[in-house]
Amino acid sequence: MPHGQPPAADGPLAAAARLTSARALRHRPLSTAVHEVDLDDGRTVVVKRGDGPDAVRAEAAGLRWLARADAVPVPAVHGSDEHWLVTDRVPDGRPTPQGAVRLGRELAALHAAGAPAFGAPPPGGPREAAIGRAPMRNVPGDDWPTWYTEHRVLPYLRTAVDAGSLRPREAAELERLCARLPGLAGPAEPPARLHGDLWNGNVLWDADGRAWLVDPAAHGGHRETDLAMLHLFGCPHLDRVLDGYQETAPLADGWRDRIGLHQLFPLLVHTVLFGRPYARQALAVAEAAG
């Protein structure tokens, strides 16, 4: 059996039954790894196959940590094991301007719930976590520019060079930008409680137009990083999201100029996963920084 794969007999129906103690009636695949499962007690749950025990443990711990902030809604965790995660299903809906303002306010409250340090994993979460299919190491640090450079930029930069997606002279340009980061990072901020992988696909809108967050790569970080990822990949009514955020917890002056710096992390992750086009975007950030 390949490492990280569940036994063939242990599919989403069996996993749902085992982890919820209910009888699983039927399932509908949403992707190769995610299924909706109807239970005999009337619930419909989402059953997700993880890439390994640490990935499942990290996601389950992240969802619970975000939920404890009592800010943005996240699906409740009904059970998990080495291979499977079972959570609530978010009822399908559409984004609304009012829901976007509420999301901004709730994101601000989530970030304000804080974290023990930059890079701190959720309680019970592993040090060796993941963002999408890329590894992500949660190593605590006290100084954001130093921590961000060492643990969120350079590891992916080196992997991209090794894979040929980034040329050594281009990597040197990004390293020079990292050396300047303390002077570009803006006022010091306390560690925020981040979703950590906040692209549009991980924001689900329910039947009431309220936003829910799924699939976190949760850790302690800079609050502008979550917002920069929303800018990078788009979000419905993003201006209204920012209005709600600014009403609740105004961002430091110059935050728009720092969006690219915070996007280096997801851009380099995507360079590792998907190749050269994202490397060009990362280099554009360095060029814009001057």
Side-chain angles (χ1 to χ4, degrees), residues 167-242:
R167 300 180 181 104
R169 61 177 177 79
E170 295 169 335
E173 187 175 346
L174 291 170
E175 288 172 345
R176 285 192 292 271
L177 175 60
C178 288
R180 297 171 53 213
L181 199 59
L184 299 172
E189 296 249 356
R193 188 170 306 193
L194 297 191
H195 175 278
D197 191 9
L198 196 59
W199 73 287
N200 184 44
N202 288 340
V203 181
L204 303 183
W205 303 85
D206 69 16
D208 296 322
R210 190 179 187 189
W212 293 60
L213 304 187
V214 299
D215 296 348
H219 61 279
H222 196 300
R223 61 187 180 137
E224 291 177 12
T225 303
D226 266 354
L227 300 177
M229 194 173 289
L230 282 181
H231 277 83
L232 180 60
F233 297 110
C235 177
H237 309 296
L238 180 55
D239 287 347
R240 301 302 300 274
V241 174
L242 294 171

Side-chain angles (χ1 to χ4, degrees), residues 47-108:
V47 182
K48 180 178 179 181
R49 187 181 70 241
D51 292 328
D54 283 344
V56 174
R57 186 157 63 97
E59 185 169 343
L63 286 169
R64 292 184 175 111
W65 191 45
L66 299 184
R68 282 199 286 274
D70 196 24
V72 190
V74 299
V77 176
H78 293 295
S80 63
D81 61 16
E82 289 188 356
H83 303 294
W84 298 99
L85 174 68
V86 180
T87 66
D88 277 339
R89 173 184 177 273
V90 178
D92 293 334
R94 300 184 63 170
T96 66
Q98 296 83 2
V101 172
R102 183 172 185 174
L103 171 59
R105 293 171 179 155
E106 292 173 338
L107 273 177

Side-chain angles (χ1 to χ4, degrees), residues 21 28 35 97 104 108 110 112 115 128 131 143 192 199 228 247-248 259 267 285:
S21 299
R28 295 172 294 281
H35 303 256
L110 172 66
E128 303 296 335
I131 178 166
D143 173 68
W199 73 287
E247 289 170 8
T248 307
I259 289 174
L267 284 172
V285 169

Side-chain angles (χ1 to χ4, degrees), residues 30 74 87 109 111 113 144 156 166 189 212 224 245 257 265 277:
L30 302 179
V74 299
T87 66
H111 293 160
W144 181 79
Y156 303 97
L166 196 65
E189 296 249 356
W212 293 60
E224 291 177 12
Y245 196 103
D257 297 330
F265 168 42

